[in-house]
Amino acid sequence: MAILVTGGAGYIGSHTLIELYKAGLESVVYDNLSNASKESLKRVAQIIGQEITFVEGDIRNKEQLRELFSNYSIDGVIHFAGLKAVAESVQKPLEYYDNNVVGTLRLLEVMGEFDCKSIIFSSSATVYGEPNKMPIREEFPTGNGITNPYGRSKYMIEEILKDLSKSDSSWKIVILRYFNPIGAHESGLIGEDPNGIPNNLMPYISQVAIGKLNELQVFGDDYPTVDGTGVRDYIHVVDLANAHVKALEYLQKQTVMPEPLIVNVGRGQGYSVLELIRAFEKVSGVKVPYRIVGRREGDVAISYADATLAKKKLDWVARYDIEKMCADSWNWQKKNPNGYETS
Ligand code: NAD
Ligand code: UFG
C-alpha cells in the first residue's frame, strides 16, 4: 500500500516524501511539473537512498488518474497539487479555479471510484481573511475578506470537502491550514525554488543575501504591529512535512469521520518582517539591504496560529525555531544559487 502525493515534486511535497520515508511509508508522486522539476525527486532519492516512484500527470485528467489508481494500490492521498501564486491568481482566475478547484474535484471523483477515501488537503491561513482577533483558531469564520482567487480556491475546496464528508462518512478528511512555510531540508539538497522574482519574503531575502537581487522591499511599516511591518507565523517546512505524517496516523486510527478534521499548522508565534531580516542576518552573517515601500495590496497586518489543536488531535508540535528556519533557507540558497537549475 502506498500514499499518493499529488504535487510531490514541489517545495512542501518533496520535504514530505522524506518524512513519509522516515515513517516507513511508501509514496507515489503524481505531478504535472508545472511548477517543479524531476531534479527535486532525484535529490530526495539521494537523501533517502531510495528511488521515488513518479508518475507525470495532471490532477484534472481523469483518465490519467484512473490509470494511476489501477496501477498502484493507493491507501490514502496527500493532496499538494495546485497553483499558489497570489498575484498571478488575480490575473488568471479561471486558470486557478480550473487547476485547484476542478482538479481537486476530478481527483476526489476518481478516489471515490477506487474506494480510496482518505485525503489530507493543503489549505492555507488565507481562508480566514482578516480575523479581528489573534491567535487564529480553527473555528474562526472563513471565506470572508479573502482578497484573491488563490485564497478563494482554497476556501471553495474546503467547502467541497465538508459537503463530501457530510454525504458519506466513510470519507476520512484532514484539512491542514498552513501558515508561512520557510526553510529547507538541512542537507541543503532540496528547498524552495521559485520561478523568476520571488513573491514571498524568505526566498526574496535569501536572493538578496546571495547577491541575485539588490535590495528587499519591505511592504509597509505603518501596520499596528511591534515595528509597523507585517507579522506572520513562520514554520519550518520539515515541521510542516511532519504534520502530514501525523495527520496520516490520525486518519489510520479513524473508522468513520462525520466531518473533516481541520487543523492549523503554525508555531503560534508571530515575527515581523524586520525581525525575520534580523534573524537571517544573525545566522548568515550577511547584511540584507532593505527599503520600506508602500503596503502590498491584499496583505493582512498580522497572522499567527493558535496551534493547540494540532498538538491535541495530531500530537504534533513544531520543533524548529526561526533561526533554524533562516539557517536552513540560507544553506539551500548558498548551495543552489540558481535553485535546481545548477545541476
Ligand atoms: P509548489 O508549487 O512547490 O508545489 C505544488 C506542486 O503541484 C508543483 O510541483 C506543481 O508542479 C504541481 N501541480 C500544480 N498543478 C498541478 C496539476 N494540475 N496536476 C498535477 N500537479 C500539479 O507549492 P508548495 O509551496 O509546495 O505548496 C503545496 C501546496 O500547499 C499547494 O496546494 C499550496 O497552495 C499549499 N500552500 C502553500 C503555502 C506556501 O506558502 N508554500 C501556504 C499555504 C498553502
Ligand atoms: N513581504 C515584504 N516584502 C516582500 C515579500 C513579502 O515585505 O518582498 C512581507 C509581506 O508584506 C508580509 C510578509 O512579508 O507581511 C510575508 O509575506 P509572504 O508573501 O512571504 O507571505 P504571505 O503571508 O503574504 O502569504 C503566504 C503564502 C500565501 C498564503 C498566505 C496565507 O505565500 O500562499 O500566506 O496567509 F495564501
Side-chain angles (χ1 to χ4, degrees), residues 10-12 31-32 34-36 58-59 80 84 99 150 154:
Y11 173 46
I12 304 169
D31 197 303
N32 68 359
S34 60
N35 196 37
D58 195 295
I59 52 167
F80 293 112
K84 63 163 185 177
N99 202 88
Y150 164 72
K154 293 290 176 191

Side-chain angles (χ1 to χ4, degrees), residues 210-255:
I210 202 89
K212 286 180 79 176
L213 297 167
N214 289 333
E215 64 173 8
L216 172 74
Q217 300 194 336
V218 174
F219 299 138
D221 68 348
D222 56 353
Y223 287 109
T225 62
V226 55
D227 54 24
T229 65
V231 166
R232 295 292 183 275
D233 189 342
Y234 296 98
I235 169 146
H236 198 295
V237 66
V238 173
D239 276 331
L240 173 58
N242 180 251
H244 294 79
V245 173
K246 294 288 193 177
L248 273 178
E249 287 168 0
Y250 173 89
L251 283 181
Q252 274 156 6
K253 282 187 226 140
Q254 312 303 310
T255 40

Side-chain angles (χ1 to χ4, degrees), residues 59 62 79 100-110 160:
I59 52 167
K62 281 179 94 165
H79 177 32
N100 295 3
V101 182
V102 175
T104 302
L105 277 177
R106 296 288 95 89
L107 174 66
L108 293 169
E109 285 161 0
V110 176
I160 290 168

Side-chain angles (χ1 to χ4, degrees), residues 124 126 150 180 200-201 217-219 230 232 234 273 296 299:
S124 163
T126 196
Y150 164 72
N180 289 59
N200 299 114
L201 182 58
Q217 300 194 336
V218 174
F219 299 138
R232 295 292 183 275
Y234 296 98
V273 176
R296 181 171 67 178
D299 272 355

